[in-house]
Amino acid sequence: MSAQKDRWVFSLVFLLFCACFIPRSGSTGLRQEQSPQQYFSGLEAGKASLAFFTPSVSPGAQPFLEQIESSAEVLQDYGISVVKVNCPKEDVSRYCGKENALRKAFLFRGNRLIREFPTDALFDVNSIVANVLFALLFNEVKYVETLADLENTENLLKGKSNMVFAYVPATGTAEHRAVMEAAFVYGTIHQFVLTTEAALLKATSSDDPDVSSAQLLFCHCQQATEPAQPCRRTALGQPLTLLNIHRHLKLMGAPLVTEIAEDPEKVSTVHLQLGLPLVFILSQKETYEADRRTAEFVAWQLLGKAGVALLSRDLVDLNVLHRSNVALKTPEEGMPIQYLVLEDTDEVITLVEDKNKVKQIQEDEQEEEEDEDERENNNQDIQDDQVVEAVSRDKKRELPLEQILVLTEENFQSSLSEAARTVVLFYASWEAVSLAVLRSYSEVAAHLKGTLGVLLSRVNCWDWPGLCSQENVTQFPTIRIYKEGQQPVTYDGMWGTEELSSFILLSRVPCPLKLATMDEAEGYLRGEFPSELSSHPHTSLLGIFSTATSKAREAFEEAGNILSGHVRMGIYFEDDALALSRKYSVSPPALLLARGGGQSVEGIALSKHSTQDMVQMIRYELLDIFPEITVSNLPQYLQLRKPFLILFSAGDISQVESKEMLKLAKGRPQQAFVACWLNLKKTPVGHGILRTYFSTMPLLPVLLWVNLHAGGQVFKFPSEQSITEMNILSWLQKLQAGLEIPSSTLSEEDWKPPLPAYDFLQMMEPSVPELSPHTAPHPGDTPAQHPPKSSGGDPARGDPARGDTAIREEPSQESTAQEGGSPGRGLRGTAPRLAARDKQGKRHSEL
């Protein structure tokens, strides 16, 4: 859109906005006609008119007439006249008949009737304006009810025009009116789409949206040139008012990144004019391309919140420190530009969203300058244990432990009989991992509050070492589930809240669960049986055995004991087991795997009958066909020792990409690699992974082939090709033929702790130094101070054969913590000290 047209649109919206809120001195906009004949004879072609037909004396119409009169001048601004037509008593026509009187209003364009409105739908000014404009703008505003309708509209707009998608809980509201007024101005520039379906709003959002409030998304479909490429969406983060919508659309029309070659103090952009900050990414000729990509990435993250500009040091003489790589200009007059040193793009985003971040960063940099020499000479204080650091950082945060019963030596045995199952956390109050798990455990207690037959409890082994020794607890933390008459089950999974909750719930049901009838077996596959698990989605695994397969059945039952709490397993070996197996085209012994509440049931033959083989097979079959990789499930897929075909995405992947990747994963080649995807929003560590693979952050989504177990080569799928099964298979054939060049190769260097291990036993000996038999001390000599040595092997590593690990002194109050790389894109270019900063840490309190 040209600058002149843009100014015209801005002026029109501003005038409309002002016109809607200027107090009216009288109701001059309502026109009254003496008769229907006079009204119809005065209609002009192409002009819109809202008419209300009423008898001359009509007390019941007074509330409606008051609202009509109030809306008359507003509609007049849009070229719509509002007319009250007085009907003679003897008139029994369509518009003046007794049946229609006081019940309907009629919208005409010229002498053609556009729509009839029941008067109860025009209950106030907002509803009148919204409904009238909605009826007139039927070409500019498309109403959709399903996700398929929305996706079809998006597909038609790709490469052509952008879309404004609005959700309002109900028509006739103030938000509905604001959308219609915006569509009146921008309807010829963007395609407006409206819905009142809450399910459609949830389907378009990765979060859990509030369906009680209106929402608006700007969909950047014009930039989606490929059919499979999704339209980026930018949400309006403010209430739906006409001014906020206009402001949002104004920002969406501004350049994504502005290149600056002048003094930044003199720069004025639309973002600053609208009260938003402007972020400068400082660049130089040698790193221009990388800085440009970084600026575009930041701009997409901050779209609607701040502007982003690329400031060239080569063209502008800046009197600032050379290491500064980001600048922030706020819209307040007289405020100086802040020049900062940031490590990654996440800090840039936080800088905009947290106004106190600028001051904090400046204080941190000043403190780092003062203590730099001290840190370099005192690297023994660096804290490389992130669990200790996290617990130390949150040590003042009080945990909600009211739902967890405290066990002691006096009440331990008696408490085990209070519930069908008692979950016990054995921990040490001084140990960091124990305290981290206690936090997850408190969240589990809140999640399972009110669950029948489950009691959550804890034992502090620091207070009750005798009890823990009696229960043979040799490591902290340990979680066990006690059931009367049975051996306790020890939890050996991940310590997250979701994993712990799932383990406790699954442990309530026998594993494997014996099913007595065909109906129970079918209900089990549908996820309806047993009833205590019906509300918790788990993949169901059913073993089918005949009387002739007793050995396989025994191995399956032993496998169930091993997998108890981790897998939902059932077993069926009644006389009609053959009938059930034939239904799913398998022969006993066999497994039936039901995913998604029984929507799909897969039959798998049991060829190996040993317990360990079954355990391994069950774990493999339970893996998803096209999984989303997370921190918790990554080890399961790494154990397969297969290459990864992994799709990195900035959010949920599109249905088209998911469908194509799923077809690929289900095909023949899936045995040779793991097809998967990673959502950087849910698993932000993926930013660090991509920074390891590439010198700069690639545009998302990006598909990679990574062989971690053979050579560590990383291949990038061509970004100009769409992600389809045929394109990927063709690309994989080139990889196998050696026709593709890897984007990077991962280092084979083993991970090493940053510090040598401490020999605590040596440290506990008397402080008198050992003297060499060939050296005698001289009077007055001070014993030499030697750093503690490792107990054996490489001084920087523990000896794997002996089970040694890198252990260090408990940090002092003044120690520093190794700072883990925060997720996001690294800032390159004019920050020469960023590599050195990786060795530095931020101060933290003593545990």
Side-chain angles (χ1 to χ4, degrees):
M1 185 171 63
S2 65
Q4 182 177 1
K5 188 175 181 181
D6 188 76
R7 287 193 297 270
W8 178 86
V9 170
F10 178 84
S11 302
L12 177 58
V13 172
F14 181 78
L15 290 174
L16 288 176
F17 178 82
C18 295
C20 295
F21 290 91
I22 295 175
R24 307 294 185 180
S25 58
S27 178
T28 59
L30 180 64
R31 203 176 83 222
Q32 299 199 27
E33 294 289 351
Q34 295 300 319
S35 68
Q37 291 79 10
Q38 291 176 328
Y39 168 68
F40 285 114
S41 63
L43 292 177
E44 299 179 30
K47 296 280 187 172
S49 174
L50 179 66
F52 177 67
F53 296 82
T54 179
S56 299
V57 180
S58 179
Q62 191 60 34
F64 173 70
L65 286 176
E66 291 176 358
Q67 300 301 323
I68 281 286
E69 291 173 0
S70 300
S71 65
E73 292 196 39
V74 178
L75 290 175
Q76 193 174 34
D77 293 333
Y78 295 97
I80 305 167
S81 60
V82 180
V83 184
K84 175 188 172 186
V85 181
N86 296 318
C87 293
K89 293 183 179 180
E90 64 276 10
D91 193 341
V92 292
S93 64
R94 175 184 179 185
Y95 300 106
C96 286
K98 184 181 295 184
E99 183 179 336
N100 290 299
L102 305 179
R103 294 185 182 180
K104 290 183 179 180
F106 300 86
L107 179 64
F108 295 88
R109 190 190 297 274
N111 58 4
R112 183 169 63 91
L113 178 63
I114 300 296
R115 187 170 175 185
E116 300 178 2
F117 295 104
T119 54
D120 57 359
L122 308 179
F123 46 85
D124 62 5
V125 175
N126 289 327
S127 63
I128 295 171
V129 175
N131 284 304
V132 169
L133 290 180
F134 196 12
L136 291 175
L137 298 177
F138 61 91
N139 287 326
E140 285 77 18
V141 181
K142 180 179 177 63
Y143 184 84
V144 295
E145 296 181 342
T146 65
L147 183 60
D149 292 339
L150 181 62
E151 291 178 342
N152 290 337
T153 303
E154 280 187 323
N155 291 334
L156 291 174
L157 294 174
K158 286 180 180 178
K160 302 174 184 176
S161 177
N162 296 319
M163 182 177 76
V164 180
F165 171 62
Y167 161 81
V168 292
T171 57
T173 59
E175 293 84 0
H176 182 207
R177 170 186 171 180
V179 173
M180 290 304 104
E181 289 181 315
F184 185 87
V185 179
Y186 292 97
T188 57
I189 304 171
H190 308 303
Q191 174 63 62
F192 277 69
V193 175
L194 182 75
T195 189
T196 57
E197 300 294 329
L200 182 54
L201 175 65
K202 292 181 177 180
T204 58
S205 176
S206 57
D207 302 321
D208 188 15
D210 180 13
V211 297
S212 63
S213 60
Q215 310 283 338
L216 184 138
L217 298 173
F218 186 89
C219 304
H220 306 266
C221 296
Q222 197 169 15
Q223 297 184 0
T225 55
E226 293 288 335
Q229 185 179 355
C231 298
R232 288 178 181 263
R233 295 170 179 171
T234 305
L236 171 64
Q238 295 153 328
L240 256 68
T241 64
L242 177 58
L243 197 57
N244 285 341
I245 295 174
H246 164 68
R247 184 173 178 268
H248 191 64
L249 297 183
K250 186 82 172 175
L251 292 171
M252 297 304 102
L256 185 63
V257 175
T258 305
E259 295 200 13
I260 302 297
E262 60 177 305
D263 185 354
E265 294 283 358
K266 301 177 181 179
V267 172
S268 177
T269 66
V270 65
H271 303 86
L272 294 170
Q273 296 165 8
L274 293 177
L276 296 179
L278 181 63
V279 175
F280 296 89
I281 304 296
L282 275 58
S283 177
Q284 56 192 16
K285 189 192 322 182
E286 294 78 10
T287 59
Y288 171 79
E289 292 298 332
D291 296 332
R292 175 76 191 186
R293 288 192 292 269
T294 299
E296 289 175 354
F297 178 84
V298 172
W300 279 114
Q301 304 301 310
L302 294 178
L303 196 57
K305 302 176 183 176
V308 176
L310 195 63
L311 179 60
S312 174
R313 284 181 174 272
D314 302 310
L315 301 176
V316 181
D317 186 16
L318 297 176
N319 187 23
V320 296
L321 295 176
H322 184 68
R323 68 183 185 194
S324 299
N325 57 355
V326 172
L328 181 68
K329 184 175 184 178
T330 57
E332 293 83 9
E333 290 186 7
M335 292 296 294
I337 295 179
Q338 305 290 335
Y339 291 89
L340 307 165
V341 180
L342 303 183
E343 293 191 18
D344 57 42
T345 53
D346 280 355
E347 288 194 357
V348 182
I349 296 167
T350 305
L351 183 71
V352 172
E353 296 177 345
D354 185 357
K355 294 183 179 179
N356 298 322
K357 190 68 176 177
V358 176
K359 184 177 180 180
Q360 178 187 338
I361 290 176
Q362 291 176 330
E363 291 175 353
D364 288 346
E365 288 179 355
Q366 182 178 1
E367 186 177 347
E368 287 174 4
E369 286 289 338
E370 294 172 354
D371 298 339
E372 182 177 357
D373 294 337
E374 180 183 349
R375 284 199 301 271
E376 291 176 354
N377 296 328
N378 192 21
N379 64 358
Q380 293 291 317
D381 287 337
I382 295 176
Q383 175 58 265
D384 70 326
D385 191 328
Q386 294 184 5
V387 176
V388 173
E389 181 186 355
V391 172
S392 173
R393 184 176 60 247
D394 296 340
K395 67 179 183 179
K396 294 183 180 180
R397 179 180 169 189
E398 188 174 350
L399 295 178
L401 302 176
E402 300 82 7
Q403 305 296 328
I404 304 174
L405 178 65
V406 177
L407 299 184
T408 66
E409 289 180 348
E410 288 77 15
N411 68 351
F412 183 80
Q413 293 298 333
S414 60
S415 297
L416 296 183
S417 59
E418 291 184 8
R421 281 173 178 78
T422 303
V423 186
V424 183
L425 168 64
F426 297 92
Y427 70 103
S429 56
W430 53 266
E431 196 261 332
V433 177
S434 290
L435 297 179
V437 172
L438 188 60
R439 184 175 304 281
S440 296
Y441 197 60
S442 66
E443 294 172 356
V444 172
H447 180 66
L448 299 182
K449 182 180 179 181
T451 303
L452 297 177
V454 176
L455 174 65
L456 267 65
S457 60
R458 57 190 171 102
V459 175
N460 186 352
C461 293
W462 178 251
D463 295 333
W464 306 101
L467 174 58
C468 296
S469 177
Q470 172 188 319
E471 294 300 311
N472 196 27
V473 174
T474 58
Q475 64 182 21
F476 309 122
T478 293
I479 289 182
R480 287 182 181 163
I481 297 182
Y482 290 81
K483 184 180 179 183
E484 190 173 357
Q486 297 182 6
Q487 288 293 324
V489 177
T490 301
Y491 178 67
D492 59 356
M494 301 289 286
W495 292 113
T497 303
E498 184 177 348
E499 291 81 6
L500 280 172
S501 299
S502 176
F503 177 77
I504 293 170
L505 290 172
L506 284 177
S507 298
R508 300 166 65 198
V509 178
C511 187
L513 177 65
K514 292 181 173 61
L515 304 171
T517 65
M518 281 273 286
D519 289 341
E520 283 188 358
E522 295 282 7
Y524 175 83
L525 291 174
R526 292 192 299 270
E528 301 169 357
F529 184 85
S531 58
E532 54 263 46
L533 292 182
S534 59
S535 60
H536 300 280
H538 296 285
T539 299
S540 300
L541 189 73
L542 177 61
I544 304 177
F545 302 91
S546 63
T547 54
T549 57
S550 57
K551 183 179 178 180
R553 190 184 81 191
E554 292 172 0
F556 184 78
E557 291 176 339
E558 291 177 11
N561 292 330
I562 295 173
L563 297 172
S564 177
H566 298 286
V567 179
R568 176 172 174 160
M569 291 174 59
I571 186 170
Y572 190 69
F573 51 88
E574 301 300 325
D575 295 337
D576 51 359
L578 285 173
L580 182 62
S581 63
R582 279 196 297 268
K583 180 178 179 181
Y584 296 100
S585 304
V586 291
S587 299
L591 298 180
L592 296 180
L593 191 65
R595 304 180 190 271
Q599 294 179 1
S600 64
V601 179
E602 179 184 359
I604 305 166
L606 279 175
S607 56
K608 298 181 180 180
H609 299 164
S610 72
T611 300
Q612 289 303 322
D613 287 339
M614 283 198 182
V615 169
Q616 186 176 357
M617 176 186 178
I618 289 170
R619 283 175 171 163
Y620 177 77
E621 293 296 342
L622 287 175
L623 297 177
D624 290 335
I625 298 173
F626 177 52
E628 177 186 354
I629 294 297
T630 63
V631 173
S632 59
N633 70 10
L634 177 60
Q636 303 175 36
Y637 295 96
L638 286 176
Q639 288 174 359
L640 300 177
R641 301 193 65 80
K642 296 180 180 181
F644 276 39
L645 181 67
I646 181 167
L647 178 65
F648 287 83
S649 174
D652 290 336
I653 57 178
S654 68
Q655 290 186 357
V656 175
E657 291 169 344
S658 177
K659 182 179 178 182
E660 294 296 324
M661 291 294 291
L662 195 58
K663 286 195 299 184
L664 184 72
K666 290 181 177 179
R668 271 191 330 180
Q670 70 96 10
Q671 298 295 332
F673 58 86
V674 177
C676 55
W677 70 288
L678 189 145
N679 185 343
L680 294 179
K681 283 188 176 179
K682 294 183 181 177
T683 311
V685 71
H687 291 91
I689 294 173
L690 289 176
R691 286 201 302 271
T692 301
Y693 291 168
F694 304 98
S695 59
T696 59
M697 188 77 170
L699 293 177
L700 300 176
V702 60
L703 181 65
L704 304 178
W705 173 277
V706 185
N707 197 340
L708 298 171
H709 308 288
Q713 292 182 327
V714 179
F715 294 89
K716 180 176 177 290
F717 181 74
S719 57
E720 65 273 9
Q721 295 186 26
S722 57
I723 298 176
T724 64
E725 182 187 18
M726 294 303 298
N727 287 346
I728 297 173
L729 287 176
S730 175
W731 178 62
L732 293 179
Q733 289 176 357
K734 293 181 181 179
L735 291 184
Q736 294 174 354
L739 301 178
E740 292 286 331
I741 300 175
S743 301
S744 61
T745 302
L746 303 181
S747 172
E748 296 182 359
E749 182 181 356
D750 293 335
W751 177 87
K752 295 181 180 181
L755 301 174
Y758 283 165
D759 187 342
F760 282 98
L761 294 179
Q762 185 185 39
M763 294 171 61
M764 292 171 66
E765 293 176 356
S767 59
V768 178
E770 295 183 4
L771 300 177
S772 169
H774 304 291
T775 306
H778 296 283
D781 281 356
T782 302
Q785 299 296 320
H786 299 282
K789 297 179 181 178
S790 174
S791 57
D794 188 343
R797 304 181 62 188
D799 187 348
R802 297 173 50 186
D804 296 342
T805 55
I807 306 173
R808 299 181 294 102
E809 285 182 331
E810 187 172 340
S812 67
Q813 182 72 20
E814 294 299 319
S815 64
T816 57
Q818 177 76 20
E819 183 184 9
S822 60
R825 299 185 51 170
L827 292 171
R828 311 183 67 81
T830 61
R833 295 202 319 146
L834 291 188
R837 286 167 62 95
D838 289 342
K839 300 178 182 178
Q840 303 173 4
K842 294 182 179 179
R843 296 187 175 277
H844 71 285
S845 302
E846 182 183 6
L847 176 63

